[in-house]
Amino acid sequence: MADIGRLTAQMKLLPFDFEETCRYFSHFKGEDKALAYRIAGGTPQYLLQINDRLSIEENIKNTFLNPISFLYEEPVNLLKQEVR
């Protein structure tokens, strides 16, 4: 019988490098790929929140400046973890 809802494996994903990030955002032009990388830092979960069919400005509004986005409170959460 399978354990439902229990952690059975853990995989650590390292941040993408710039080249990998560029391949992920096939619809962005070069400058927007660089901006997306600077914003997300190659973090896979952050990259998933960016839609390369929207402008960088729209993505910032939809993620970092949108109170219902998990990235909205991410800076505060990271600071809390670092200064416990």
Side-chain angles (χ1 to χ4, degrees):
M1 197 167 192
D3 288 328
I4 297 179
R6 295 187 182 226
L7 182 65
T8 57
Q10 189 171 9
M11 181 186 326
K12 181 174 181 167
L13 293 178
L14 297 175
F16 292 173
D17 63 24
F18 179 68
E19 186 178 319
E20 292 166 329
T21 301
C22 287
R23 284 196 304 267
Y24 180 74
F25 291 125
S26 61
H27 293 98
F28 276 156
K29 296 198 185 299
E31 184 177 334
D32 288 340
K33 289 177 182 182
L35 288 170
Y37 185 71
R38 289 188 68 186
I39 291 167
T43 303
Q45 184 60 38
Y46 298 174
L47 294 172
L48 286 172
Q49 306 308 307
I50 298 175
N51 181 345
D52 66 350
R53 295 187 182 271
L54 301 176
S55 70
I56 291 295
E57 183 178 334
E58 289 172 303
N59 275 290
I60 290 170
K61 288 178 184 176
N62 290 344
T63 56
F64 297 98
L65 302 177
N66 182 349
I68 64 170
S69 168
F70 91 90
L71 287 177
Y72 180 79
E73 294 197 20
E74 187 68 356
V76 172
N77 293 334
L78 290 173
L79 281 171
K80 284 179 183 176
Q81 289 177 9
E82 294 297 321
V83 294
R84 288 184 204 189

